[in-house]
Amino acid sequence: MPTALLVLALSAFAIGTTEFVIMGLLPEVAADLGVSIPGAGWLVTGYALGVAIGAPIMAMATARLPRRKALLVLMGVFIVGNLLCAIAANYGLLMLARVITALCHGAFFGIGSVVAASLVPANRKASAVALMFTGLTLANVLGVPLGTALGQAAGWRSTFWAVTLIGIAALIGLWRVLPRQHDEEATDIRAEFAALRGAGLWLALSTTVLFSAAVFCIFTYVAPLLGEVTGVSPRGVTWSLLLIGLGLTLGNVIGGRLADWKLAQTLMGVFIALAIGSSALTWTSAALIPTEITLFLWATAAFAAVPALQVNVVNFGSAAPNLVSTLNIGAFNVGNALGAWVGGLVIGQGFGLTTVPLAAAVLAILALVATLLTFSNRNSELQAALD
């Protein structure tokens, strides 16, 4: 694998860390800025909305730039955003800084995925995308716990200073190792929008939304599930999250290789495994060891879909790879919000925490149905082209 993929993974690590680390620092941020914990929690929502809304906007804003230059500009925005987070004097400025940081998230992963796939032969594209996304999974395994520990020890601002430095290192790496694609075709804005007309693309994006919703329906409430149902201590929850992170990393690598082999079969298999694993958690959550085993296998199945979903969308929007790949990152974040809402709705209706995994299983089955419709539509389009 080219060195450029490792630098893209480092960039993904920095972006993933700044997205998720705020959840571990909410008490410190709330106390320092004089807001409630729920109020500080809006910093998470603000970031997610910034990604979903900013992804297509930034993709179009950088459409006429060569991909190498676009990634450098986006990483520059990321550095500025984290610097503003570190020096924000009040809650409003911190929220603004979080939104600025989020603007680069979707476009960077979208364009970065296209660049990663272009660095390797056709039969290694999903593996290359998976390697880039390994940085995102490692952000959950290492970046979030280490960033939380640093923020608790030296103040929450120190975490954003640290991420700013990682961003600078990534920017230098991107500048030095990303190849200049002199034969890269100029982006046609009209062609980019024309690529959004196909039903297959929107089915593929819907699959991403439903997948992400199935994952975050559980992930959002895994800590209270472990604490209140399984009886895990707060320290034990941290170790459980680390185990989940390891499963996510393993699944990302396995999923990339499987998707290079059989894309449609990989997605269908993952969603079936996700539905089974989610359902099993309803019953295994009563005991520690079965819960940990189930969560590890569930996490492995979950992230096995990520590289396949990214390649799937680009296949349907090959005329506008930057835009559709970026839209897919926005779809992941829409799914995150949807899954959290569905899980909260289940709990709010009085069904209890153990019913949340069943709701996630239903979402996984809906993702499977969307996958079947997606590839059925593609086969129909191919047949029509042949006729």
Side-chain angles (χ1 to χ4, degrees):
M1 288 290 182
T3 305
L5 287 177
L6 298 178
V7 178
L8 286 170
L10 175 64
S11 305
F13 175 82
I15 295 173
T17 298
T18 207
E19 178 182 14
F20 296 117
V21 76
I22 191 70
M23 290 182 277
L25 296 174
L26 286 186
E28 289 74 20
V29 172
D32 184 48
L33 299 181
V35 297
S36 65
I37 292 292
W42 279 101
L43 294 168
V44 178
T45 305
Y47 189 98
L49 292 176
V51 174
I53 296 171
I57 294 173
M58 293 299 288
M60 298 309 298
T62 58
R64 295 194 178 277
L65 293 177
R67 291 182 184 126
R68 177 179 181 273
K69 184 175 290 186
L71 290 177
L72 292 174
V73 169
L74 292 167
M75 185 51 64
V77 173
F78 172 80
I79 292 168
V80 170
N82 277 280
L83 180 62
L84 291 174
C85 286
I87 63 175
N90 55 54
Y91 176 80
L93 290 176
L94 180 58
M95 177 65 81
L96 176 62
R98 289 283 291 171
V99 172
I100 290 173
T101 308
L103 290 177
C104 76
H105 182 122
F108 189 94
F109 276 107
I111 298 172
S113 297
V114 176
V115 171
S118 72
L119 295 172
V120 297
N123 65 337
R124 301 293 303 278
K125 290 184 182 297
S127 294
V129 174
L131 180 56
M132 177 183 170
F133 275 85
T134 298
L136 186 60
T137 59
L138 287 177
N140 285 287
V141 177
L142 298 175
V144 172
L146 292 176
T148 300
L150 175 63
Q152 291 171 342
W156 63 269
R157 297 176 191 276
S158 64
T159 300
F160 290 101
W161 282 112
V163 175
T164 300
L165 293 177
I166 297 173
I168 292 172
L171 178 66
I172 295 171
L174 292 170
W175 175 69
R176 289 181 62 88
V177 305
L178 279 185
R180 299 177 186 271
Q181 301 287 354
H182 296 291
D183 59 343
E184 185 176 316
E185 295 182 4
T187 299
D188 184 337
I189 301 298
R190 286 177 296 181
E192 293 270 313
F193 279 108
L196 304 182
R197 295 175 184 169
L201 172 63
W202 292 103
L203 284 169
L205 289 170
S206 298
T207 303
T208 298
V209 171
L210 290 167
F211 156 78
S212 191
V215 172
F216 271 78
C217 186
I218 291 178
F219 206 6
T220 304
Y221 302 100
V222 70
L225 180 70
L226 287 167
E228 297 178 28
V229 178
T230 313
V232 176
S233 67
R235 187 173 183 179
V237 170
T238 301
W239 286 105
S240 296
L241 292 175
L242 176 61
L243 182 67
I244 291 173
L246 292 173
L248 297 176
T249 305
L250 177 63
N252 187 57
V253 175
I254 294 174
R257 295 183 179 181
L258 288 175
D260 280 330
W261 175 53
K262 296 281 188 180
L263 182 63
Q265 289 84 342
T266 295
L267 286 173
M268 288 186 284
V270 164
F271 294 144
I272 292 171
L274 202 58
I276 294 172
S278 299
S279 300
L281 189 60
T282 296
W283 291 277
T284 61
S285 58
L288 177 61
I289 299 302
T291 298
E292 300 293 355
I293 294 173
T294 303
L295 283 174
F296 178 78
L297 295 175
W298 168 83
T300 302
F303 252 58
V306 172
L309 288 166
Q310 196 71 3
V311 172
N312 184 40
V313 167
V314 173
N315 284 346
F316 279 96
S318 56
N322 287 9
L323 179 59
V324 299
S325 186
T326 299
L327 285 174
N328 198 44
I329 302 301
F332 277 114
N333 281 268
V334 171
N336 294 354
L338 175 61
W341 177 78
V342 169
L345 183 65
V346 168
I347 296 169
Q349 293 297 316
F351 292 107
L353 285 164
T354 55
T355 310
V356 171
L358 290 178
V362 172
L363 290 168
I365 292 171
L366 291 175
L368 174 62
V369 172
T371 301
L372 294 171
L373 292 173
T374 299
F375 284 93
S376 174
N377 176 270
R378 183 171 189 179
N379 291 335
S380 299
E381 290 179 352
L382 290 174
Q383 187 61 47
L386 292 173
D387 295 340

